[in-house]
């Protein structure tokens, strides 16, 4: 870091149709399509029933428990963006709360993802603003400064570049890197079709589930050698 306050460049937002398409896909389906970019399982919605979020990342990295540069990052957001906060995984202090949620919602921010802690859960739930965080804690943050905005960050064990697309739902958060966007979209379309059609097999009764077993698992099980032969 060349100074206490560093600002990078945010790429142009992806076409709206890309965002709308990704809103129709579950995080699990995208994960199945990539086997990469899924954040740590502890990065989850801080209240039940939080809406699914999709949008390009505005990134910010701060010292553990400090939130001064988060306010600066909010000034760089566009409607539909998702704020991604690299708080070093620290959960001793909350770097987000009801005031910032109200501010972010007013700016049109689609949601926030925090590798750190939030507070004011009840108030944020009333607002209906989607916050994904590692933990919640009432302790207030510090205001010591330092940090970077719109630079590569680490959040939930995943590298997030400014403009990468974030998808979050009740099961977690995944990153769709801009550099692989078209490839991932092609893969997840196939995955989504398979999931929605139950692999082309009707479901509902023993006959249907037997057919699904025969198609998906029977050959694999038959190929496993008996224990006596495997020794």
């Amino acid at each position: 870091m060349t100074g206490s306050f560093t600002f990078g460049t945010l790429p142009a937002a992806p076409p709206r149709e890309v965002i709308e398409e990704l809103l129709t896909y579950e995080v699990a389906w995208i994960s199945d399509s990539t086997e990469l970019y899924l954040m740590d399982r502890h990065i989850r919605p801080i209240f039940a029933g939080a809406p699914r979020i999709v949008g390009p990342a505005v990134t910010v990295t701060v010292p553990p428990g400090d939130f001064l540069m988060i306010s600066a990052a909010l000034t760089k957001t566009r409607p539909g963006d998702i704020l991604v906060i690299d708080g070093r995984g620290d959960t001793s202090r909350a770097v987000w709360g009801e005031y910032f949620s109200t501010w972010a919602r007013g700016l049109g921010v689609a949601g926030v993802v925090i590798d750190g802690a939030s507070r004011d859960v009840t108030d944020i739930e009333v607002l209906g603003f989607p916050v994904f965080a590692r933990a919640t804690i009432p302790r207030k943050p510090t205001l010591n400064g330092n940090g970077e905005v719109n630079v590569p960050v680490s959040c939930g064990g995943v590298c997030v570049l400014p403009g990468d697309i974030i998808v979050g739902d009740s099961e977690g958060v995944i990153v769709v890197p801009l550099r692989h966007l078209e490839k991932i979209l092609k893969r997840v379309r196939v995955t989504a079709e398979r999931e929605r059609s139950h692999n082309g097999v009707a479901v509902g009764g023993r006959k249907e589930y037997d057919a699904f077993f025969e198609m998906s698992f029977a050959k694999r099980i038959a190929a496993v050698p008996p224990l006596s032969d495997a020794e």
Side-chain angles (χ1 to χ4, degrees):
M1 187 166 65
T2 58
S4 295
F5 308 99
T6 303
F7 295 88
T9 302
L10 182 63
R16 184 63 199 172
E17 55 265 29
V18 170
I19 301 300
E20 291 175 353
E21 179 180 355
L22 285 169
L23 274 168
T24 68
Y25 301 143
E26 297 180 12
V27 165
W29 299 353
I30 301 172
S31 178
D32 288 351
S33 303
T34 66
E35 293 292 342
L36 288 170
Y37 317 120
L38 183 65
M39 290 189 185
D40 187 310
R41 65 184 180 86
H42 295 292
I43 310 292
R44 303 183 61 81
I46 66 169
F47 62 88
R52 182 177 297 164
I53 59 170
V54 177
V58 170
T59 63
V60 55
T61 181
V62 295
D66 197 271
F67 78 153
L68 183 59
M69 283 298 284
I70 296 174
S71 64
L74 279 171
T75 69
K76 303 298 181 181
T77 60
R78 307 160 301 194
D81 285 341
I82 293 175
L83 189 61
V84 177
I85 302 170
D86 176 2
R88 305 297 197 273
D90 179 77
T91 57
S92 64
R93 293 179 179 273
V95 297
W96 190 269
E98 182 268 339
Y99 181 79
F100 270 10
S101 294
T102 303
W103 183 7
R105 189 181 68 166
L107 293 171
V109 173
V112 60
V113 179
I114 311 165
D115 200 337
S118 178
R119 67 179 189 174
D120 302 334
V121 177
T122 301
D123 292 332
I124 293 172
E125 183 175 6
V126 170
L127 283 172
F129 183 75
V131 175
F132 294 71
R134 184 171 291 279
T136 60
I137 189 170
R139 185 175 292 116
K140 69 178 181 179
T142 59
L143 276 166
N144 295 326
N146 297 315
E148 298 182 281
V149 176
N150 284 329
V151 297
V153 301
S154 176
C155 189
V158 180
C159 178
V160 184
L161 275 59
D164 283 350
I165 301 176
I166 306 298
V167 184
D169 64 17
S170 60
E171 291 194 299
V173 181
I174 196 165
V175 182
V176 179
L178 279 182
R179 62 189 182 277
H180 298 314
L181 176 59
E182 290 304 320
K183 291 180 180 179
I184 291 175
L185 281 175
K186 288 179 181 179
R187 290 180 180 181
V188 75
R189 286 166 186 154
V190 174
T191 301
E193 176 61 27
R194 184 175 68 243
E195 291 290 334
R196 288 166 176 159
S197 68
H198 300 282
N199 289 279
V201 177
V203 297
R206 181 58 185 263
K207 179 181 179 181
E208 289 80 10
Y209 284 117
D210 283 349
F212 179 64
F213 172 81
E214 289 296 328
M215 183 184 73
S216 301
F217 305 113
K219 289 183 180 179
R220 292 177 182 269
I221 292 172
V224 177
L227 182 60
S228 58
D229 295 340
E231 292 178 339

